[in-house]
Coordinates of all heavy atoms in Angstrom, one line a residue:
M158 N 110.7 96.4 108.4 CA 110.9 95.5 107.3 C 109.6 94.9 106.8 O 108.8 94.5 107.6 CB 111.9 94.4 107.7 CG 113.4 94.9 107.7 SD 114.1 95.2 106.1 CE 114.2 93.5 105.5
W159 N 109.5 94.7 105.5 CA 108.3 94.1 104.9 C 108.8 92.9 104.1 O 109.7 92.9 103.3 CB 107.6 95.1 104.0 CG 107.2 96.3 104.8 CD1 107.9 97.4 105.0 CD2 105.9 96.4 105.5 NE1 107.2 98.3 105.8 CE2 106.0 97.7 106.1 CE3 104.8 95.6 105.7 CZ2 104.9 98.2 106.9 CZ3 103.8 96.1 106.5 CH2 103.8 97.4 107.0
Q160 N 108.0 91.8 104.3 CA 108.3 90.6 103.5 C 107.3 90.5 102.4 O 106.1 90.6 102.7 CB 108.2 89.3 104.4 CG 108.4 88.0 103.7 CD 108.3 86.8 104.6 OE1 108.8 86.8 105.7 NE2 107.6 85.8 104.1
I161 N 107.8 90.3 101.2 CA 106.9 90.2 100.0 C 106.9 88.8 99.5 O 108.0 88.2 99.3 CB 107.4 91.2 98.9 CG1 107.4 92.6 99.4 CG2 106.5 91.0 97.7 CD1 108.1 93.6 98.5
D162 N 105.7 88.2 99.4 CA 105.6 86.9 98.8 C 104.8 86.9 97.6 O 103.7 87.5 97.5 CB 104.9 86.0 99.9 CG 105.8 85.7 101.1 OD1 106.9 85.2 100.9 OD2 105.3 86.0 102.2
V163 N 105.3 86.3 96.5 CA 104.7 86.2 95.2 C 104.3 84.7 95.0 O 105.2 83.9 95.0 CB 105.6 86.7 94.1 CG1 104.9 86.5 92.7 CG2 106.1 88.1 94.3
D164 N 103.0 84.5 94.9 CA 102.5 83.2 94.5 C 102.7 83.0 93.0 O 102.0 83.5 92.2 CB 101.1 83.0 94.9 CG 100.6 81.6 94.7 OD1 101.1 80.9 93.9 OD2 99.6 81.2 95.4
K165 N 103.8 82.3 92.7 CA 104.2 82.2 91.3 C 103.2 81.3 90.5 O 103.1 81.4 89.2 CB 105.6 81.5 91.2 CG 106.7 82.4 91.8 CD 107.0 83.6 90.9 CE 108.0 84.6 91.5 NZ 109.4 84.1 91.5
D166 N 102.4 80.5 91.2 CA 101.3 79.8 90.5 C 100.2 80.7 90.0 O 99.5 80.4 89.0 CB 100.8 78.7 91.4 CG 101.8 77.6 91.6 OD1 102.6 77.4 90.7 OD2 101.7 76.9 92.7
K167 N 100.0 81.8 90.8 CA 98.9 82.8 90.4 C 99.4 83.9 89.5 O 98.6 84.4 88.7 CB 98.3 83.4 91.7 CG 97.6 82.4 92.6 CD 97.0 83.1 93.8 CE 96.2 82.1 94.7 NZ 95.7 82.8 95.9
C168 N 100.6 84.3 89.7 CA 101.2 85.4 88.9 C 101.1 85.1 87.4 O 101.6 84.1 87.0 CB 102.6 85.7 89.4 SG 103.3 87.1 88.4
V169 N 100.6 86.1 86.6 CA 100.6 86.0 85.2 C 101.5 87.0 84.5 O 101.5 87.1 83.3 CB 99.1 86.2 84.6 CG1 98.3 85.0 85.1 CG2 98.6 87.5 85.0
G170 N 102.3 87.7 85.3 CA 103.3 88.7 84.8 C 102.7 89.8 84.1 O 103.3 90.3 83.1
D171 N 101.6 90.3 84.5 CA 100.9 91.4 83.8 C 101.5 92.8 84.1 O 101.0 93.8 83.5 CB 99.4 91.4 84.0 CG 99.0 91.6 85.4 OD1 99.9 92.0 86.3 OD2 97.9 91.4 85.8
E172 N 102.5 92.9 85.0 CA 103.2 94.1 85.3 C 102.4 95.1 86.1 O 102.8 96.3 86.2 CB 103.8 94.8 84.1 CG 104.7 93.9 83.3 CD 105.5 94.6 82.2 OE1 105.5 95.9 82.2 OE2 106.0 94.0 81.3
E173 N 101.2 94.7 86.6 CA 100.4 95.7 87.4 C 101.2 96.2 88.6 O 101.2 97.4 88.9 CB 99.1 95.1 87.8 CG 98.1 94.8 86.7 CD 97.4 96.0 86.1 OE1 97.5 97.1 86.8 OE2 96.9 95.9 85.0
C174 N 101.8 95.3 89.3 CA 102.6 95.7 90.5 C 103.8 96.5 90.1 O 104.2 97.4 90.8 CB 103.0 94.4 91.3 SG 104.0 93.2 90.3
V175 N 104.5 96.1 89.0 CA 105.7 96.8 88.5 C 105.3 98.3 88.3 O 106.0 99.2 88.7 CB 106.2 96.2 87.2 CG1 107.3 97.1 86.7 CG2 106.6 94.8 87.4
N176 N 104.1 98.5 87.7 CA 103.7 99.9 87.3 C 103.2 100.7 88.5 O 103.2 101.9 88.6 CB 102.7 99.9 86.2 CG 103.3 99.3 84.9 OD1 104.5 99.5 84.6 ND2 102.5 98.6 84.2
A177 N 102.6 100.0 89.5 CA 101.9 100.6 90.6 C 102.8 100.9 91.8 O 102.6 101.9 92.5 CB 100.7 99.8 91.1
C178 N 103.8 100.1 92.0 CA 104.7 100.3 93.2 C 105.4 101.6 93.1 O 106.1 101.9 92.2 CB 105.7 99.1 93.2 SG 106.8 99.3 94.6
P179 N 105.3 102.4 94.2 CA 106.0 103.7 94.2 C 107.5 103.6 94.5 O 108.2 104.6 94.4 CB 105.3 104.4 95.4 CG 104.8 103.4 96.3 CD 104.4 102.2 95.4
A180 N 107.9 102.4 94.9 CA 109.3 102.2 95.3 C 110.1 101.3 94.3 O 111.2 100.9 94.6 CB 109.4 101.6 96.7
Q181 N 109.5 101.0 93.1 CA 110.2 100.2 92.1 C 110.7 98.9 92.7 O 111.9 98.5 92.4 CB 111.3 101.0 91.5 CG 110.9 102.1 90.5 CD 110.5 103.4 91.2 OE1 111.2 103.9 92.0 NE2 109.3 103.9 90.9
V182 N 109.9 98.3 93.5 CA 110.3 97.0 94.1 C 110.3 95.9 93.1 O 111.2 95.0 93.2 CB 109.3 96.7 95.3 CG1 109.5 95.2 95.7 CG2 109.6 97.6 96.4
Y183 N 109.4 95.9 92.1 CA 109.3 94.7 91.3 C 109.9 94.8 89.9 O 109.9 95.9 89.3 CB 107.8 94.4 91.0 CG 107.0 94.0 92.3 CD1 106.3 95.0 93.0 CD2 107.0 92.7 92.7 CE1 105.6 94.6 94.1 CE2 106.3 92.3 93.9 CZ 105.6 93.3 94.6 OH 104.9 93.0 95.7
E184 N 110.3 93.7 89.4 CA 110.7 93.5 88.0 C 110.0 92.2 87.5 O 109.7 91.3 88.4 CB 112.2 93.4 87.8 CG 112.9 94.7 88.0 CD 114.4 94.6 87.7 OE1 114.8 93.5 87.3 OE2 115.1 95.6 88.0
I185 N 109.8 92.1 86.2 CA 109.3 90.8 85.7 C 110.5 89.9 85.3 O 111.4 90.4 84.5 CB 108.4 91.0 84.5 CG1 107.2 91.9 84.8 CG2 108.0 89.6 83.9 CD1 106.2 91.3 85.9
V186 N 110.6 88.8 85.9 CA 111.8 87.9 85.7 C 111.2 86.5 85.2 O 110.4 85.9 86.0 CB 112.6 87.7 86.9 CG1 113.8 86.7 86.6 CG2 113.2 89.0 87.4
D187 N 111.5 86.1 84.0 CA 111.0 84.9 83.5 C 109.5 84.8 83.5 O 108.9 83.8 83.8 CB 111.6 83.7 84.2 CG 113.1 83.5 84.0 OD1 113.6 83.9 83.0 OD2 113.7 82.9 84.9
G188 N 108.9 86.0 83.2 CA 107.4 86.1 83.1 C 106.7 86.2 84.4 O 105.4 86.2 84.4
K189 N 107.4 86.3 85.5 CA 106.7 86.4 86.8 C 107.2 87.6 87.6 O 108.4 88.0 87.4 CB 107.0 85.2 87.6 CG 106.6 83.9 87.0 CD 105.1 83.6 87.0 CE 104.7 82.3 86.3 NZ 103.3 82.0 86.4
A190 N 106.4 88.2 88.5 CA 106.8 89.3 89.3 C 107.9 88.8 90.3 O 107.7 87.8 90.9 CB 105.6 89.9 90.0
E191 N 109.0 89.6 90.4 CA 110.0 89.3 91.3 C 110.3 90.6 92.1 O 110.6 91.6 91.6 CB 111.3 88.9 90.6 CG 112.4 88.3 91.4 CD 112.0 87.0 92.0 OE1 111.4 86.1 91.4 OE2 112.4 86.8 93.2
P192 N 110.2 90.5 93.5 CA 110.5 91.7 94.3 C 112.0 91.9 94.5 O 112.6 91.7 95.5 CB 109.8 91.4 95.6 CG 109.9 89.9 95.7 CD 109.8 89.4 94.3
V193 N 112.6 92.4 93.4 CA 114.1 92.5 93.3 C 114.6 93.6 94.3 O 115.8 93.5 94.7 CB 114.6 92.8 91.9 CG1 114.4 91.6 91.0 CG2 114.0 94.0 91.3
N194 N 113.8 94.5 94.6 CA 114.2 95.6 95.5 C 113.3 95.6 96.8 O 112.9 96.6 97.2 CB 114.1 97.0 94.9 CG 115.0 97.1 93.7 OD1 116.2 96.7 93.8 ND2 114.5 97.6 92.6
A195 N 113.2 94.4 97.4 CA 112.3 94.3 98.5 C 112.7 95.2 99.7 O 111.8 95.6 100.5 CB 112.2 92.8 99.0
D196 N 114.0 95.5 99.8 CA 114.4 96.3 100.9 C 113.9 97.7 100.8 O 113.8 98.4 101.8 CB 116.0 96.4 100.9 CG 116.6 95.1 101.3 OD1 115.9 94.2 101.7 OD2 117.9 95.0 101.1
E197 N 113.4 98.1 99.6 CA 112.8 99.5 99.4 C 111.3 99.5 99.7 O 110.7 100.6 99.7 CB 113.0 99.9 98.0 CG 114.5 99.9 97.5 CD 115.3 100.9 98.3 OE1 114.8 102.0 98.6 OE2 116.5 100.6 98.6
C198 N 110.7 98.4 100.0 CA 109.3 98.4 100.2 C 108.8 99.3 101.4 O 109.4 99.3 102.4 CB 108.8 96.9 100.5 SG 107.0 96.8 100.9
L199 N 107.7 100.0 101.1 CA 107.1 100.9 102.1 C 106.0 100.4 102.8 O 105.4 101.0 103.7 CB 106.7 102.2 101.3 CG 107.7 102.9 100.4 CD1 107.0 103.9 99.5 CD2 108.8 103.5 101.2
G200 N 105.6 99.2 102.5 CA 104.4 98.5 103.1 C 103.1 99.1 102.8 O 102.1 98.9 103.6
C201 N 103.0 99.8 101.7 CA 101.7 100.5 101.3 C 100.6 99.6 100.8 O 99.4 99.9 100.8 CB 102.0 101.6 100.3 SG 102.5 100.9 98.7
E202 N 101.0 98.4 100.4 CA 100.1 97.3 99.9 C 99.3 97.7 98.6 O 98.3 97.1 98.3 CB 99.1 96.9 101.0 CG 99.8 96.3 102.2 CD 98.9 95.4 103.1 OE1 97.8 95.1 102.7 OE2 99.4 95.0 104.1
T203 N 99.8 98.8 97.9 CA 99.3 99.1 96.6 C 99.4 97.9 95.7 O 98.4 97.6 94.9 CB 100.0 100.3 96.0 OG1 99.9 101.4 96.9 CG2 99.5 100.7 94.7
C204 N 100.5 97.2 95.7 CA 100.7 96.1 94.8 C 99.6 95.0 95.1 O 99.1 94.4 94.2 CB 102.1 95.5 95.0 SG 102.5 95.1 96.7
V205 N 99.4 94.8 96.4 CA 98.4 93.8 96.8 C 97.0 94.1 96.2 O 96.3 93.3 95.7 CB 98.3 93.7 98.3 CG1 97.2 92.7 98.7 CG2 99.7 93.2 98.9
E206 N 96.7 95.4 96.3 CA 95.4 95.9 95.8 C 95.2 95.8 94.3 O 94.1 95.5 93.8 CB 95.1 97.3 96.3 CG 95.0 97.4 97.8 CD 95.0 98.8 98.3 OE1 94.9 99.8 97.5 OE2 95.3 99.0 99.5
V207 N 96.3 96.1 93.6 CA 96.2 96.2 92.1 C 96.3 94.8 91.4 O 95.9 94.7 90.3 CB 97.2 97.2 91.4 CG1 96.9 98.6 92.0 CG2 98.6 96.7 91.6
C208 N 96.9 93.8 92.1 CA 97.1 92.5 91.5 C 95.7 91.8 91.3 O 95.1 91.5 92.2 CB 98.0 91.7 92.3 SG 98.2 90.0 91.6
P209 N 95.3 91.6 90.0 CA 94.0 91.0 89.7 C 94.0 89.5 90.0 O 93.0 88.9 90.1 CB 93.8 91.3 88.2 CG 95.2 91.5 87.7 CD 96.0 92.0 88.8
E210 N 95.2 88.9 90.2 CA 95.3 87.5 90.5 C 95.4 87.2 92.0 O 95.4 86.0 92.4 CB 96.5 86.9 89.8 CG 96.6 87.3 88.3 CD 95.4 86.8 87.5 OE1 94.8 85.8 87.9 OE2 95.0 87.5 86.5
G211 N 95.5 88.2 92.8 CA 95.7 88.0 94.2 C 96.9 87.2 94.6 O 97.0 86.4 95.5
A212 N 98.0 87.5 93.8 CA 99.2 86.7 93.9 C 100.2 87.3 94.9 O 101.2 86.6 95.2 CB 99.9 86.7 92.5
L213 N 99.9 88.5 95.5 CA 100.9 89.1 96.3 C 100.4 89.2 97.8 O 99.3 89.5 98.0 CB 101.2 90.5 95.8 CG 101.6 90.6 94.3 CD1 101.8 92.0 93.9 CD2 102.9 89.8 94.1
T214 N 101.4 89.0 98.7 CA 101.1 89.3 100.1 C 102.3 90.1 100.6 O 103.5 89.8 100.3 CB 100.9 88.1 100.9 OG1 101.9 87.1 100.6 CG2 99.5 87.4 100.7
V215 N 102.0 91.1 101.4 CA 103.0 91.9 102.1 C 102.8 91.8 103.6 O 101.7 92.1 104.1 CB 103.0 93.4 101.6 CG1 104.0 94.2 102.3 CG2 103.2 93.4 100.1
T216 N 103.9 91.4 104.3 CA 103.7 91.2 105.7 C 104.8 91.9 106.5 O 106.0 91.8 106.0 CB 103.9 89.7 106.0 OG1 103.0 88.9 105.1 CG2 103.5 89.3 107.5
E217 N 104.5 92.6 107.5 CA 105.5 93.2 108.4 C 106.3 92.2 109.1 O 105.7 91.3 109.8 CB 104.9 94.3 109.3 CG 105.9 95.1 110.0 CD 105.3 96.4 110.6 OE1 104.1 96.4 110.9 OE2 106.1 97.3 110.9
V218 N 107.6 92.3 109.1 CA 108.4 91.3 109.8 C 109.4 92.0 110.7 O 109.7 93.2 110.6 CB 109.2 90.4 108.9 CG1 108.2 89.4 108.1 CG2 110.0 91.1 107.9
Ligands
SF4_277 S1 103.7 97.3 99.5 FE1 103.9 99.3 98.3 S2 106.1 99.7 98.3 FE2 105.9 97.6 98.9 S3 106.1 96.4 97.0 FE3 103.9 96.7 97.3 S4 103.5 98.7 96.2 FE4 105.7 98.5 96.5

């Protein structure tokens, strides 16, 4: 299992994670990234790498 944390103060809703995630984990909700399908996360950290704001962390739990 992977825990996804979005720092909503940093997120600008640019959809980089939405477009990069191979598992369609994210949607933009109220202008911010929301990991609506967190159960599908593969732990690849692609979203962490593509986020220009450094708003995402993915942690194995
Ligand atoms: S770690 Fe990979 S699978 Fe999980 S949300 Fe980020 S891009 Fe998607």
